[in-house]
Amino acid sequence: GHTVLPLASGILMLLTMFLLHMSYGYFVETRGKRQITGLFGQYVPPELVDEMAKAPTQYSLAAESRELTVLFSDVRGFTTISEGLSPADLAELMNGFLTPMTEVIHQARGTIDKYMGDAIMAFWGAPLPDGEHPRHALEAGMQMIARLEGLNEAFRARGWPAVNIGIGINTGQVSVGNMGSAFRMAYTVIGDAVNLASRLEGLTKKYGVRLICGEATKEAVPE
């Protein structure tokens, strides 16, 4: 006689297992990506979020000590600029300035720490490790200055004042992580190396230059 095997139930079980496995993988991956986006999305560029989502458990907001490169940039004579513009024009000028500057930092794989009015604070080497953080920060600084030329042409065409910036860059050991108060937390860096980057930015006014970097940065990128 012939043996009759009930194939349908077996195939159905295999199909169900396959679908469960696929959907589980999909949801785990998207959850990992959502978590990373939630934690770091406002600081780091989308490409880095994608990269980090591949191993979400490696990244946390817990504070740790790391060698990073920090960049501060500031608009020269901002008070004078702001006094000559209407609030709506000033907001438009600031957006028109901060957006391309942020794009430059993101393209160089930098993390935006914060905007302080007209000032930008960014760093390299966290949350994603970067073996060449001094070089990438310097490249971003020089690119920011280069982008300013085209920006100023557009500003002048609208009857707005030209914008000039000073940039300070420094490399050193800092504390990086989620810091703040019970009311507001931010992923940020603190330490002497950070303060020095800010001081170097201030010194650009004194020396009449656009960019000054610290000794450790210079040693890391000798050329």
Side-chain angles (χ1 to χ4, degrees):
H2 298 287
T3 313
V4 180
L5 288 172
L7 276 178
S9 56
I11 289 169
L12 195 65
M13 191 178 84
L14 282 172
L15 191 63
T16 310
M17 282 168 72
F18 172 74
L19 286 171
L20 276 171
H21 178 74
M22 289 299 285
S23 54
Y24 176 76
Y26 171 77
F27 285 117
V28 163
E29 193 180 304
T30 50
R31 194 185 70 193
K33 193 165 176 180
R34 270 204 313 274
Q35 275 176 330
I36 289 290
T37 307
L39 293 177
F40 297 107
Q42 58 181 326
Y43 305 109
V44 303
E47 311 82 78
L48 292 197
V49 170
D50 289 347
E51 221 169 293
M52 291 161 74
K54 287 172 187 159
T57 49
Q58 280 179 28
Y59 308 99
S60 95
L61 294 170
E64 56 173 315
S65 179
R66 260 199 221 188
E67 191 199 66
L68 304 179
T69 300
V70 184
L71 176 149
F72 277 87
S73 92
D74 198 13
V75 172
R76 294 280 158 263
F78 184 68
T79 314
T80 317
I81 292 174
S82 58
E83 283 166 357
L85 293 172
S86 71
D89 274 354
L90 183 62
E92 218 178 315
L93 179 136
M94 284 315 300
N95 293 343
F97 166 74
L98 290 172
T99 302
M101 293 297 141
T102 301
E103 280 169 5
V104 166
I105 289 166
H106 278 178
Q107 279 160 8
R109 298 170 69 88
T111 300
I112 294 285
D113 187 309
K114 58 176 81 74
Y115 304 121
M116 298 157 283
D118 59 307
I120 302 171
M121 178 181 172
F123 54 86
W124 281 256
L128 210 67
D130 180 351
E132 291 202 75
H133 54 84
R135 177 185 303 278
H136 292 149
L138 267 175
E139 282 170 356
M142 294 191 291
Q143 193 57 41
M144 284 165 81
I145 291 165
R147 279 292 284 273
L148 212 52
E149 304 306 319
L151 264 186
N152 279 332
E153 275 176 38
F155 287 173
R156 275 193 288 265
R158 296 194 59 169
W160 292 346
V163 170
N164 200 2
I165 57 172
I167 296 172
I169 295 174
N170 190 45
T171 302
Q173 208 69 25
V174 302
S175 293
V176 58
N178 222 16
M179 302 180 212
S181 68
F183 301 97
R184 184 174 175 170
M185 297 294 275
Y187 186 71
T188 189
V189 288
I190 54 173
D192 287 344
V194 180
N195 302 343
L196 184 53
S198 174
R199 298 275 194 293
L200 291 172
E201 183 276 310
L203 280 176
T204 57
K205 286 185 205 122
K206 196 173 172 181
Y207 290 107
V209 295
R210 283 181 163 181
L211 192 154
I212 296 179
C213 75
E215 209 170 342
T217 312
K218 187 193 118 195
E219 280 168 11
V221 195
E223 72 279 12

